[in-house]
Amino acid sequence: MPSRTIENYLKQLYLAEQSAQELPIPMGRLATLMNVVPGTATAMVKALADSGLVDYSPRTGVQLSSAGSKLALHVLRRHRLIELFLVKIVGLDWSEVHDEAEELEHVISEKLLARIDALLDHPATDPHGDPIPTVGGHVPPESVETFVTCKLNRSVEITRIVDQEPRFLQFVRQCKLVPGARLMVRRRDEQADAVTIDLAGNSASPITLSTSAAAKFLVRQV
């Protein structure tokens, strides 16, 4: 079984690749994500490359191999199923479960994970709307529209919250901007750096977000 450190590197690389505009991922970027000095990240990446889990070039950076992607998706599957279990069954707040899942994802057995998956009726997403990879490593395509890019005055549904910092999630819950919520984006004001939205059934109390906060909500048109 891969070590905790290996799994964390592969998971962070996968997440970085999903948001990157181009590959490979620069080594400085990876070191920042792992909160280590560049030399430490380089030493680990070389070991991962020797194991066939990444493709590494000293001058350009690193990206996952097919084997590395498969393992990274397996770690993400464990993490996101655990998060949902902790919310739905244990009763933890969704702002608390990330750190708990970070610990449990490395020690949970496949037998227990399968029982959790069945207990939750084989869910497609975690509490934050993040897609849960299937056993085979498939991740369904998702919307890339946000409050910043979707059409104005059209009904949309929140599908995912991409920032899972606890204080932001607490704010999101307070505003009822959770996955499944329906709303309309009414205005965008570049000069004020503001996006104004109306939750369905509550147009009398509009919510105003900064553009950077508004970009953290993925939506689909309904």
Side-chain angles (χ1 to χ4, degrees):
M1 182 175 179
S3 71
R4 177 193 186 103
T5 300
I6 288 175
E7 290 186 341
N8 281 337
Y9 267 85
L10 296 178
K11 181 177 67 174
Q12 286 298 334
L13 265 174
Y14 177 84
L15 294 173
E17 289 182 1
Q18 299 312 295
S19 59
Q21 295 185 348
E22 60 181 48
L23 298 175
I25 302 299
M27 288 303 302
R29 170 64 175 155
L30 179 60
T32 299
L33 290 172
M34 297 305 300
N35 195 28
V36 299
V37 298
T40 299
T42 299
M44 175 54 71
V45 163
K46 288 180 178 178
L48 294 175
D50 290 342
S51 299
L53 296 173
V54 301
D55 297 317
Y56 169 62
S57 173
R59 291 183 177 82
T60 56
V62 59
Q63 65 186 93
L64 293 170
S65 66
S66 58
S69 292
K70 182 178 180 180
L71 183 52
L73 285 167
H74 187 56
V75 178
L76 275 177
R77 172 176 169 79
R78 297 198 305 253
H79 181 99
R80 291 172 178 175
L81 275 172
I82 290 169
E83 284 194 335
L84 188 60
F85 175 79
L86 292 175
V87 170
K88 293 289 188 180
I89 306 301
V90 179
L92 292 182
D93 187 79
W94 73 336
S95 66
E96 303 174 309
V97 295
H98 177 75
D99 289 345
E100 297 293 340
E102 284 285 302
E103 296 296 323
L104 294 172
E105 70 187 33
H106 304 292
V107 297
I108 191 171
S109 70
E110 293 304 312
K111 180 178 180 180
L112 179 55
L113 190 72
R115 294 294 290 270
I116 288 174
D117 187 29
L119 178 65
L120 297 173
D121 197 24
H122 310 290
T125 60
D126 75 1
H128 316 102
D130 295 331
I132 298 174
T134 66
V135 175
H138 174 68
V139 180
E142 60 180 341
S143 170
V144 295
E145 291 274 81
T146 71
F147 290 167
V148 177
T149 60
C150 68
K151 292 181 179 179
L152 294 177
N153 301 311
R154 299 286 184 89
S155 180
V156 296
E157 179 179 285
I158 297 173
T159 60
R160 185 179 182 187
I161 314 298
V162 298
D163 184 347
Q164 295 172 18
E165 194 276 327
R167 286 181 296 178
F168 183 72
L169 288 177
Q170 290 163 7
F171 164 77
V172 167
R173 173 78 74 184
Q174 183 179 18
C175 294
K176 300 181 180 180
L177 298 175
V178 297
R182 295 191 175 187
L183 52 97
M184 290 186 182
V185 177
R186 294 301 192 184
R187 293 182 299 279
R188 299 188 186 100
D189 188 332
E190 293 184 5
Q191 297 301 316
D193 186 33
V195 176
T196 303
I197 63 175
D198 287 339
L199 279 169
N202 193 24
S203 59
S205 300
I207 299 171
T208 300
L209 302 171
S210 68
T211 302
S212 60
K216 297 175 181 180
F217 297 84
L218 299 189
V219 300
R220 67 178 181 88
Q221 188 170 323
V222 293

